[in-house]
Every structure is written in structure tokens, then in C-alpha cells.
Amino acid sequence: MPLFFLKYVVNENSRSDCMTLFGGMTAEQDAADTGEYVKIMGRWATVGSSSGYCICDASNAKELHKWLLNWSTMATIDCTPVVDDNDARRIILQNEPTYTVDYANVKNDAKDGESLYFIEYKFHPSNREECFNIFANFSKEEDEKDAGKNTCYGRWHNLGEGSGVAICSSKSQFDLYSWAFNWSSMCDCHIQPVVSDSDCRENIKSKPDFQRKHTELMAILFPTKAKSGWFR
């Protein structure tokens, strides 16, 4: 199934309703929201700017946009097809890579004493081919050494632009920028602290007026379901 990177910003006049709606959603409601043909690999929020990131796969672009229609009145959502490390290396090397990366931990929370960070990178045009070759020829040991004390849960690439994104767990800004510094002469990195869906919802629900706002919003948006208790 095609793999997509989504970057969203909630509209200014929809922030309160969007945050309340999202904060009250359960796993069952998440599944109903995405439908049968879209699978969220990971989603992370930067609450201060009412924005965030998502990696998902979908059976096709039609099904992807069918899901996004649920949120398009409240947010602006950019969509880009991407490839993971394994497919990126196959494309660059035109051969099988020496090892494959496991993406089973993409949804993991940060490790104890650490935080989640989302990284956006873009190679300098003059260094793009060199960077592709360095990345594609990394051994497993070299890849892990490059990341240092940071734990990379997933990385995805836009080979058409020489850009990409990653999600990692890190203990400190020192560790983060030690990793970024390895590539500073070849690419620009934008790093933001993020929270997972579960942590984001926990924070939203912790606000003293959440339950009242959620009940009122559900009565307006979904009066029949609100009466049945489906959103509780």
C-alpha cells in the first residue's frame, strides 16, 4: 500500500473544537475515522502551534482523501508520498540493501527520562547525490553509530526533493544536535518536541473544562450518537 507523510495545521478558528473532538476519541473511533483502507503508522502533535505530523499507508489516494475530508474543514493538511529506509536504499543502490530496518516501534512512546522529537531534513542541492550514497551504503553498525544516543523509531524519505522526516526518542538537546551535526554540512534539520496521540489526549483531558466542552460539542456535531453515549 502507498505510504504517505501528512503535515497539518489546525485552522485558527477551529482550534478549540478540533482539540476537543480529537481529545475525546477512543481507539474504536479512530478506526471508524480512518476507515478500512487507511492505516496510521504513527501520529505526533506539536500542541503549542496546533499542528503535527502523521505517517500512514492507504490503499490509494482516493481512500486517503476520503479520510482527510473528515478533518479538512478544521485543518490544512499537506500530503506527500514517501518511502521508508528499506525502499529508499533499494532505489538508490538499485539492489537489495545489506540490512533492513524494522518499523515495528514507530508508535512507541519516549523511553523513560526521554522525549519524542520529530525531525524534518532537507539535503543541500549541491550535496544531494553524495548524501544519498552515504545513507544508502551505511551498514547497520554505521547507522546506529550515526544516531548516537538517540533511538530512531522510524525514518521516511522524499527522494524527489532530497528531503525526509524521522521520529526519535532522545534524552537531551545535546544528543539531538550531536546527531544533526553529523550532517550539518550537507543538510538542514528542523527539530521539534512532539507528543504521541495517547499523551496528547491525556493532556487535553486533564484540563478542568474538557468534559463540559466535549459533551457540548458532541451534542452539536453528533446529536444521535451523543444521546446513545457513543462518544463517552
Side-chain angles (χ1 to χ4, degrees):
M1 290 169 59
L3 192 61
F4 298 95
F5 165 55
L6 312 180
K7 185 175 181 179
Y8 68 85
V9 178
V10 178
N11 302 333
E12 184 71 32
N13 61 355
S14 302
R15 286 187 174 187
S16 180
D17 285 352
C18 188
M19 192 171 296
T20 300
L21 176 61
F22 175 78
M25 290 178 72
T26 64
E28 177 189 8
Q29 291 154 11
D30 270 337
D33 178 48
T34 56
E36 182 181 356
Y37 302 106
V38 176
K39 178 184 176 183
I40 295 176
M41 293 185 64
R43 184 167 52 192
W44 308 273
T46 53
V47 180
S49 57
S50 293
S51 60
Y53 311 94
C54 177
I55 297 291
C56 67
D57 57 29
S59 59
N60 53 56
K62 178 181 178 181
E63 295 298 332
L64 172 70
H65 289 289
K66 182 179 179 181
W67 167 45
L68 297 184
L69 273 173
N70 297 343
W71 301 92
S72 62
T73 59
M74 293 184 283
T76 300
I77 310 168
D78 291 330
C79 313
T80 306
V82 290
V83 291
D84 62 20
D85 278 9
N86 303 321
D87 280 343
R89 288 186 167 115
R90 289 186 184 100
I91 292 169
I92 297 167
L93 296 172
Q94 297 185 30
N95 207 336
E96 288 297 314
T98 58
Y99 80 101
T100 56
V101 176
D102 182 7
Y103 279 78
N105 298 321
V106 171
K107 283 189 176 182
N108 280 17
D109 288 327
K111 294 181 176 181
D112 289 344
E114 298 188 357
S115 298
L116 290 178
Y117 294 90
F118 199 86
I119 303 170
E120 298 177 80
Y121 77 84
K122 188 166 187 178
F123 294 139
H124 304 154
S126 60
N127 297 110
R128 187 177 298 178
E129 186 174 351
E130 178 187 1
C131 290
F132 282 158
N133 288 329
I134 292 173
F135 159 76
N137 285 285
F138 264 169
S139 66
K140 184 176 186 296
E141 293 72 23
E142 289 170 330
D143 217 354
E144 291 174 351
K145 182 179 179 181
D146 178 56
K149 295 181 180 179
N150 308 284
T151 302
C152 183
Y153 290 154
R155 189 166 45 189
W156 301 270
H157 312 269
N158 176 347
L159 296 182
E161 291 186 350
S163 62
V165 297
I167 181 72
C168 71
S169 176
S170 300
K171 187 175 183 179
S172 70
Q173 70 274 18
F174 184 91
D175 294 336
L176 276 169
Y177 287 113
S178 293
W179 187 11
F181 188 74
N182 294 340
W183 297 87
S184 61
S185 65
M186 296 179 283
C187 75
D188 296 320
C189 290
H190 178 64
I191 305 173
Q192 290 205 81
V194 293
V195 289
S196 63
D197 278 5
S198 58
D199 282 348
C200 183
R201 284 172 171 150
E202 183 179 340
N203 286 341
I204 293 171
K205 290 178 179 178
S206 71
K207 298 303 178 182
D209 60 344
F210 168 76
Q211 194 57 58
R212 175 189 60 79
K213 291 172 65 176
H214 187 261
T215 301
E216 292 174 355
L217 181 62
M218 293 306 100
I220 295 171
L221 297 179
F222 309 99
T224 302
K225 290 181 177 179
K227 289 178 182 179
S228 71
W230 190 75
F231 280 97
R232 293 175 187 169

